[in-house]
Amino acid sequence: MSAISLSAVTKRFGDAAAVDGVSLEIAAGEFVALLGASGCGKTTLLRLIAGFDTLSSGAIRFDGTVMAGEGRHVPPEDRNVGIVFQSYALWPHMSVAENVGYPLRVRGIRGAAKADKVAEALAAVDLSGFEARRPADLSGGQRQRVALARCLAMDPAVVLLDEPLANLDVNLRASMEDTFKEFHERTKATMVYVTHDQAEAMAMADRVAVMEAGRVLQVTDPVTLYGEPASEAVARFVGNGSVVDCRVVGPAASGRAHVALFGHEADVRADPATLAPLGTTARLCLRPEHLTLSDGEGFAARVAKATFKGSHALLEVAPAAAPAQLLPVWAPRLVPTGTEVRIAIRDGWLLPGAAMRVPAARAA
Ligand SMILES: Nc1ncnc2c1ncn2[C@@H]1O[C@H](COP(=O)(O)OP(=O)(O)OP(=O)(O)O)[C@@H](O)[C@H]1O
């Protein structure tokens, strides 16, 4: 496995930068997801790491060796990367064993050595016994596991995955997430996984890099990303957080702050280093689980929408003090649309970016 170092990696197509100054250190054996909406540049970044495209500027190193940039471009076949695509890219005329063994044959590995590797790789993805089948006779999930086995057989230093679950149905996706995690634990390969699905990224990756317009907005572990988004864009993209205005009325205890919103006061999490001065306005990220229906405390609101979800209901409530702002709230039961309710704020995250803007505004 290799560590991957991206230094100010930039790729322009004409005047537009598809990847714009991305710097990221990926440790050997780490599983990093590149997460972002369509067109944010994640596939382009993956292609640059693979060597399919050349850089406009910046550098890419594997274990300190320059693969791209500084006047060099190591071709894909010399980077020892395995790639798993959304489309599987299996040869239809070859059996499963021939598909998995193909890259080994290309490398001159034949006979028993090849057969052993193929058997080992198929066992790793739970496809022993499928050697003679053709891709056409497999399900989508099985085809993707063959593609994974083919990648595994090559002992790649780096595994790149481009939306590998995009063609699979919801149930199969969940079981394939387990397959990828097991694959990672077993091989300890460095993995870079491109997806626009935040749940997928958070379920599997050690760290998630959120991309927008060719840049990395934040890169951190899934728990921190969800709980402490660094900016409004990340808060909205990950976990569909609501972002609302509030006023900082007092630091409560370390790592927390007291805020006022919708005519009510609440105790929320905050980074003390970026906490806005008392009395100023800041932006607060509220997740559905931060809000609960209450009998008395909290702010007044009206149920604008209610959706039954089986084990619970998802309400959208409009605060009386800001009726245009709809906030999602989990509830144990359906509450009819139009019902007047009270909502307690149990938690929240004061966005540091917004807080940091405050001193500049005060200076103006
Ligand atoms: N070969 C190309 N020529 C011109 N523009 C390109 C080329 N490849 C990508 N782009 C542009 O670069 C931007 C980033 O594209 P990219 O495919 O990397 O995004 P993405 O995040 O992977 O999106 P998706 O999830 O839809 O695949 C887009 O605006 C795209 O139109």
Side-chain angles (χ1 to χ4, degrees):
M1 76 212 72
S2 293
I4 305 171
S5 167
L6 308 177
S7 316
V9 167
T10 297
K11 177 66 181 177
R12 279 185 215 93
F13 294 108
D15 287 342
V19 174
D20 193 1
V22 169
S23 294
L24 182 60
E25 299 294 329
I26 300 172
E30 197 179 14
F31 189 152
V32 168
L34 302 177
L35 174 68
S38 181
C40 71
K42 50 199 189 298
T43 297
T44 303
L45 186 54
L46 202 75
R47 290 176 56 81
L48 293 169
I49 298 171
F52 295 140
D53 281 327
T54 54
L55 297 182
S56 301
S57 61
I60 297 175
R61 292 181 181 80
F62 287 0
D63 281 339
T65 304
V66 175
M67 293 288 133
E70 299 176 6
R72 287 194 75 191
H73 181 81
V74 175
E77 59 274 20
D78 294 335
R79 295 192 184 191
N80 196 17
V81 292
I83 303 171
V84 179
F85 297 102
Q86 177 180 334
S87 61
Y88 323 128
L90 300 177
W91 298 105
H93 61 286
M94 289 184 188
S95 69
V96 164
E98 285 164 345
N99 264 289
V100 175
Y102 182 76
L104 298 170
R105 214 176 70 188
V106 170
R107 288 183 177 188
I109 302 167
R110 281 158 205 270
K114 186 176 103 178
D116 287 351
K117 276 253 172 224
V118 170
E120 199 183 306
L122 284 174
V125 297
D126 216 10
L127 278 182
S128 302
F130 286 73
E131 289 77 359
R133 292 251 198 126
R134 304 263 163 200
D137 303 327
L138 299 173
S139 70
Q142 289 166 337
R143 283 180 213 169
Q144 197 52 286
R145 299 215 305 265
V146 174
L148 206 54
R150 179 182 54 190
C151 172
L152 179 61
M154 285 168 48
D155 276 332
V158 169
V159 177
L160 306 176
L161 306 111
D162 191 357
E163 306 241 14
L165 304 185
N167 284 338
L168 306 181
D169 70 49
V170 176
N171 294 328
L172 204 50
R173 277 169 167 244
S175 82
M176 285 302 288
E177 283 176 9
D178 292 339
T179 304
F180 284 125
K181 272 203 285 202
E182 282 161 23
F183 175 89
H184 181 239
E185 278 157 24
R186 182 186 292 252
T187 61
K188 305 272 186 270
T190 310
M191 288 172 64
V192 184
Y193 187 107
V194 159
T195 182
H196 63 270
D197 183 330
Q198 43 160 316
E200 208 172 282
M202 291 202 278
M204 290 188 281
D206 298 318
R207 284 191 303 157
V208 179
V210 181
M211 291 185 68
E212 187 183 76
R215 292 167 183 265
V216 171
L217 299 179
Q218 185 175 8
V219 51
T220 187
D221 66 276
V223 172
T224 308
L225 188 72
Y226 186 81
E228 301 173 10
S231 63
E232 197 160 331
V234 175
R236 287 187 195 283
F237 189 73
V238 176
N240 300 323
S242 312
V243 181
V244 299
D245 276 337
C246 66
R247 200 161 43 82
V248 181
V249 292
S254 78
R256 303 193 71 86
H258 217 60
V259 295
L261 67 161
F262 310 138
H264 173 66
E265 289 193 7
D267 187 34
V268 298
R269 288 170 295 115
D271 180 353
T274 58
L275 186 59
L278 294 190
T280 55
T281 302
R283 299 283 278 166
L284 179 70
C285 170
L286 287 173
R287 306 280 188 204
E289 64 273 23
H290 294 160
L291 302 172
T292 54
L293 284 175
S294 93
D295 289 336
E297 58 171 324
F299 60 87
R302 198 177 58 80
V303 176
K305 193 176 166 195
T307 312
F308 183 56
K309 295 280 186 185
S311 62
H312 58 272
L314 181 63
L315 311 180
E316 283 188 42
V317 303
Q325 175 89 57
L326 290 183
L327 303 171
V329 181
W330 295 129
R333 60 193 150 73
L334 264 182
V335 180
T337 305
T339 308
E340 305 286 338
V341 291
R342 289 202 87 82
I343 301 291
I345 302 173
R346 304 287 178 208
D347 195 8
W349 167 247
L350 212 49
L351 288 168
M356 280 187 298
R357 279 208 306 271
V358 173
R362 283 203 312 172

